[in-house]
Amino acid sequence: MSKQEIELLQRALNRQVKARKQAEKILESKSKELYDTLHYLREDNNRLNELLKEKTSELEGVFFNIPDPYLVINLEGQVVKMNQAAKVFLGFDIDKEDFYAAQLVHHEYLMETLQSFQVLQEVGILKNFKTKINLKSGISRFVQVNANLIYDASGTPIAAQGVLRDVTNEEEISTILEEQKQALEDSQKRLEAVISNLQFGVLLEDEYRNIALTNNVFCNMFGIQATPEQMVGANCENAAEESKTYFKDPEEFVARINNILKERKLVLADELKTVSGTTLQRDFIPIFNGTIYKGHLWVYTDVTIRKQYKDNLQAQKEKYSSIIANMNLGLVEVDNEDLVQLVNKSFCTLSGYTEKELYGKKLGELLHVSDPKIILEHQKKRLQGISDTYEVNVQVKGGQKKHWLISGAPRYNEKGQVIGSIGIHLDITDQYELSKQKEQLLRDLKSSNEGLQEYAHVVSHDLKSPLRSISALASWLEEDFTDKLGPEGLSQLALMQDKIASMDQLITGILRYSSIGSEKARFEICNTLELINHLKTTMYWPEQIDLSFKGVMPLIMADKIQLQQLFQNLLSNAIAHIDKSKGQIEIGYKDKGALHEFSIKDNGIGIPKAYQEKIFEIFETLDTGKGNSGIGLSIIKKIVQLHGGSIWVKSEYGAGATFYFTIRKDAS
């Protein structure tokens, strides 16, 4: 290395040493400055910490002594601090038990409250949040929450603190006001809906005659092209002048409206005639708030049909008033005190009193009824709205006794209240006397029938007794003198016994005939098929005679004993007149609506047409031989008639006969 290079390196090294020493001096100076600064910073930090502790203590004292509940909760939601007001209000005490803020929240508000807590964690502050909580006592309260986060020295949130304010009363009042507001709005909507659908025109004006409400009917009634909504707010000061041409008396229409508005009094049923022929009824209803006038309501109703009906009713009333006044039925109207309000001429004739003598008088004091309780009883019915008809014995003016038929009905006013009664009186004295005579005749007839019935039984007994004696004597003669009498004598005795038997049968038939109808029939449901089959087993029925049926034998309502006698007599009659070696009897049935129709057909000797009506009369018979008294068919006819039916026969002599009879289904 050359000397020159060494010198250069030496100079460079010296410069480095010199620079290093200079840098060390600067570093030493800055280190001292830094130390001094750090010392001052430490002293300031200590002073700040002391001041912070002092202020924090003061702040905590403020929160813990405020009258509203104050809480501090950690980020998990556990309550870690609370003031005395919170303990009293919530009922919880963290010194005695741990609890979380979520325990307080009402279940309906839980999600909303959790969301607000999340907002608090994100933003750091929560203002005027309302929620519902449950106190430890179980009572629910509304609270308003104002809260903020608490941070550590590094700025990390470590808790949240908040103040609760009980706003339950405010919330309840707010809810009530909201409900009332909603109810008022709903009521207004309903009112508007009702008014818009009313069948009459409505116009509501305020105190300045500005339209507050109207409906389509009103607009159509006065030819207004605008809708009810468009009419709201319009002024009606000149409305009367503008619409007066619709009415027959336009100037009177305007004058009347002005007068009504001036007086501000309730007006009802003003009648207006329009040029088109319709009739309107107008009502005016002033509206006051206390003594302050707030407007009025006009109501216009088309009463054209009602007016026509009323006019027609008045015409009808006038028309029929003269008819009522002159009809033969006595008409009287009384009030609830029995004071006469109206009578017609016929009633004056019936009672013997003049209209002047009757008007305003108590009817019960002028006309003497045999039983006043009847009148009082029917007056009570009128007050109950009951109409009826009854009969009374009454003494009219002059002392004559009459028997009246009275048809009474209540009288009503427009409100439907009973204000009296109206009675139609008919003099039925003559009919009443005839009715009494008829009743007496019926009693006499009943007594006579009972006497005849008793007489028939006595006569039957008195007649049969000698017959039995004669029959016994004939039997004794036959037994004791058979050899001496000979064939001719015995034949005469046999003839005598036949005549005695016929006589006995005749007496029995007469007794049966007279007995039918003397006792009340006992109607019951009868099975005709069973009844006929039973008869066949109990009565005489020759083997060569067959019985058949045509149609279904019904169940009918009848007196069973009489029905049995009816079939027995007809069947016995058929058997007695069958002259064929092979006899046939057919019983038929047809439903004739209100009637049962039966038929009994045989293949016997038949009946000539000349006798087909006579055979039903008593003692009439075609066969005068043994066993035929001529009463059997008369008994049958009487039984059928008692059952509301009829009997007839169709026959050709030599070709059999068919007897028909009917019985009413409602014979009972």
Side-chain angles (χ1 to χ4, degrees), residues 20 38 57 100 204 282 286 310 347 354 465 530 540 601:
R20 182 176 179 181
L38 180 61
S57 177
Y100 288 81
L204 179 64
R282 177 178 60 199
K310 186 177 179 180
F347 186 80
T354 64
S465 182
E530 290 182 1
Y540 168 71
K601 180 181 179 182

Side-chain angles (χ1 to χ4, degrees), residues 213-226:
L213 183 66
T214 187
N215 65 354
N216 284 317
V217 177
F218 179 84
C219 294
N220 295 335
M221 196 174 284
F222 288 90
I224 300 172
Q225 299 300 319

